[in-house]
Amino acid sequence: MAEAMRIIKAELGPDAVIMSSRQVKKRKGFLGLFSKKELEVLAGYEETVQFTPQMRAAQEAISNVQAAAEQRAQKAAAGPSNEKLGQSIDEIRGLVERLTERVASSPEQSPDRRYSRDVLEIYHRLLSHDVEESTAQAICTQAEDIVITRKADAEDVVRNIVLDSLGRPHLIEPVKYQRKTVMLVGPTGVGKTTTLIKLAYMLVYQKNVNIGVINTDSFRVAAQEHMKSYCDILRTDMLTVYKPEEIAEALDAFRNKDVVLIDTAGKVSDDEEYRQEIAKLVEMGNIDEVFITLSASTSERVLERIISNYSFLKQYSIILTKTDEAPAPGILLYLSRVSGKPLSYLTTGQTVPDDLIEVNPERIADDILVHV
């Protein structure tokens, strides 16, 4: 389905809607018994035209010319010269045709007319790497102005715009003789607890940091046992709190730790009670850093809604999980532009502790701009 979604968005655009899907077998071999199952997806979209002020002005001009034509035709019809009438109509018809061509070539209607050849080639390259269409348009429109005014290389300009959009990753950096508190939040099912364990391994074995773990998700007993077993392997302490008011006491018990990692329950971000609980944990724990954990397999529209729901958090960074399930790098650029926050870590699989990497903006830019 992930591959089907990529193809659908590339062919039909981000507004395409899946109408139905089913598994089918290609009829091969004896009665098709040994044929491979494939996914058949029926998708569609309703094409709409976005009218800009320039287009509306041109259309209004056309209407005015047509109205003037009718008036002149009526006056001429009352006069003696049909030859002058024909000339007037021909002149007006030519003017209407020229105005119509201007509307048809409006930059809002066709990227082919909006961008120079080099920028247009990069625009299609961005789309092929699953960069969301409006994001690709914003980047290329900005690049086109710079290329024209500064006579700069189009690819170099776009690469710098992409790097500027991605920003610099915000990583967990321990401060000597100071305790740092780090909280992970995010929807259910994104792999938040597994990601926290990977971060714990990184801090202990790569940075030689003394850590503590606090679990605030008291509803998933299996998750607690899972985390406790890893903490035993790491030889670090773990505490569980059952309400936000207990977070300060738990942190006080870890006052000699270098970094304290705090896991939270995964819930739908639309839940107002959940948002209030997270806000209370941040306030009562005086949390230093918050990381929103999101899944790369989530659609752009859902990601945008989640980011909007977490707007009550003034400062946060992003960890993107399951990037192995959505390998196209465009989602990384989309997240950066929608949230305005730095991407910090990516998870590339379920293996602990290996499948965790720090975000490398230069590598992402290279992947986004590579030729298909």
Side-chain angles (χ1 to χ4, degrees), residues 214-255:
I214 295 177
N215 172 45
T216 69
D217 185 3
S218 58
F219 298 100
R220 294 194 306 151
V221 177
Q224 291 185 50
E225 295 175 350
H226 179 65
M227 184 181 294
K228 182 66 169 65
S229 65
Y230 276 109
C231 287
D232 290 340
I233 295 171
L234 289 167
R235 297 178 182 176
T236 191
D237 300 315
M238 172 184 150
L239 295 173
T240 297
V241 301
Y242 296 91
K243 51 186 178 180
E245 290 78 8
E246 297 175 354
I247 189 71
E249 184 179 350
L251 287 171
D252 186 60
F254 285 156
R255 58 186 175 277

Side-chain angles (χ1 to χ4, degrees), residues 56-70 96 99-100:
R56 293 193 180 93
Q59 286 184 326
E60 184 178 349
I62 291 173
S63 298
N64 292 338
V65 169
Q66 289 174 334
E70 292 179 2
V96 170
L99 287 170
T100 303

Side-chain angles (χ1 to χ4, degrees), residues 12 45 67 101 126 163 199 216 239 310 350 353:
L12 300 180
Y45 75 105
E101 289 174 0
L126 294 176
L163 287 173
L199 289 170
T216 69
L239 295 173
Y310 279 107
Q350 295 297 315

Side-chain angles (χ1 to χ4, degrees), residues 109-314:
Q109 194 172 27
S110 172
D112 293 346
R113 294 187 175 94
R114 189 185 326 170
Y115 304 130
S116 59
R117 183 184 62 183
D118 291 343
V119 175
L120 180 64
E121 190 274 329
I122 295 173
Y123 171 77
H124 289 298
R125 211 189 304 170
L126 294 176
L127 294 182
S128 70
H129 289 295
D130 215 21
V131 175
E132 189 262 342
E133 186 175 6
S134 65
T135 301
Q137 290 176 358
I139 291 172
C140 289
T141 299
Q142 183 180 352
E144 183 73 20
D145 292 339
I146 297 173
V147 168
I148 292 173
T149 57
R150 298 186 176 227
K151 302 187 184 304
D153 177 74
E155 183 155 344
D156 184 61
V157 171
V158 171
R159 191 175 191 278
N160 278 277
I161 294 172
V162 169
L163 287 173
D164 185 60
S165 298
L166 291 170
R168 305 309 305 174
H170 178 78
L171 306 177
I172 301 173
E173 297 292 347
V175 179
K176 195 171 184 178
Y177 305 128
Q178 294 183 28
R179 185 195 64 189
K180 177 171 286 188
T181 53
V182 177
M183 178 181 288
L184 270 63
V185 301
T188 184
V190 298
K192 190 164 61 279
T193 300
T194 302
T195 301
L196 184 141
I197 293 169
K198 292 175 182 177
L199 289 170
Y201 267 83
M202 177 199 69
L203 291 168
V204 170
Y205 290 114
Q206 295 181 17
K207 299 192 177 184
N208 196 28
V209 172
N210 181 20
I211 71 167
V213 175
I214 295 177
N215 172 45
T216 69
D217 185 3
S218 58
F219 298 100
R220 294 194 306 151
V221 177
Q224 291 185 50
E225 295 175 350
H226 179 65
M227 184 181 294
K228 182 66 169 65
S229 65
Y230 276 109
C231 287
D232 290 340
I233 295 171
L234 289 167
R235 297 178 182 176
T236 191
D237 300 315
M238 172 184 150
L239 295 173
T240 297
V241 301
Y242 296 91
K243 51 186 178 180
E245 290 78 8
E246 297 175 354
I247 189 71
E249 184 179 350
L251 287 171
D252 186 60
F254 285 156
R255 58 186 175 277
N256 293 325
K257 301 291 186 181
D258 297 321
V259 175
V260 179
L261 298 174
I262 304 169
D263 194 20
T264 59
K267 294 184 179 179
V268 178
S269 59
D270 297 274
D271 187 337
E272 179 61 29
E273 185 178 348
Y274 165 73
R275 293 200 295 266
Q276 291 177 2
E277 181 178 320
I278 295 298
K280 189 177 290 186
L281 281 169
V282 171
E283 180 182 2
M284 292 189 166
N286 194 24
I287 305 302
D288 297 313
E289 297 177 2
V290 178
F291 288 84
I292 296 180
T293 310
L294 301 169
S295 170
S297 59
T298 309
S299 70
E300 284 97 340
R301 288 182 178 179
V302 175
L303 285 173
E304 186 172 359
R305 188 175 76 244
I306 293 171
I307 291 295
S308 176
N309 288 337
Y310 279 107
S311 61
F312 67 93
L313 296 172
K314 302 307 178 186

